[in-house]
Amino acid sequence: MIRYICDLCGREIDPEENGHYVVSIEVRPALRPPSHGCEEGEIDHLEELQRLLESLEDDQLEFPPAETSLRFRFDLCAECRDRFVRQPLGRKQQKAWQFSKN
């Protein structure tokens, strides 16, 4: 029998009784938009791709190192899943402004 432990609170999870949730997170660099001043409709993407491929040398065609993208997997119990969904980044919610009714 497989035992599941909540990665947040450390309690054992009984999937049949309480539910078992998996959180998958991927962290990767964001793609930068093109820096030239053309409007989106004016760009011929296939022509631009062809130009870039022709300008690369063979030794530049390597894939970026695996460290540029990270993946995490966490097992959560039902209570911790609810907490995670309310505040996925773990930041405390800011208080809403309370105005008097005068």
Side-chain angles (χ1 to χ4, degrees), residues 34-91:
S35 59
H36 47 76
C38 298
E39 292 292 321
E40 181 65 26
E42 298 175 11
I43 301 171
D44 183 349
H45 295 285
L46 290 177
E47 187 176 298
E48 182 70 13
L49 182 60
Q50 180 66 30
R51 187 187 65 74
L52 286 171
L53 289 173
E54 288 173 353
S55 70
L56 291 175
E57 296 180 14
D58 288 338
D59 61 341
Q60 294 176 314
L61 293 175
E62 296 178 14
F63 290 101
E67 300 89 46
T68 60
S69 181
L70 301 171
R71 291 189 178 143
F72 301 93
R73 181 188 184 279
F74 303 101
D75 295 303
L76 299 181
C77 66
E79 290 176 28
C80 290
R81 178 251 179 221
D82 292 342
R83 264 191 293 161
F84 180 81
V85 169
R86 280 193 305 271
Q87 296 181 10
L89 296 179
R91 298 188 306 187

Side-chain angles (χ1 to χ4, degrees), residues 94-101:
Q94 295 182 3
K95 288 186 176 182
W97 290 93
Q98 300 293 325
F99 296 102
S100 62
K101 299 179 181 181

Side-chain angles (χ1 to χ4, degrees), residues 5-20:
I5 305 294
C6 178
D7 289 317
L8 200 55
C9 69
R11 288 184 289 191
E12 187 168 351
I13 301 170
D14 183 358
E16 295 176 8
E17 185 178 317
N18 300 20
H20 171 222

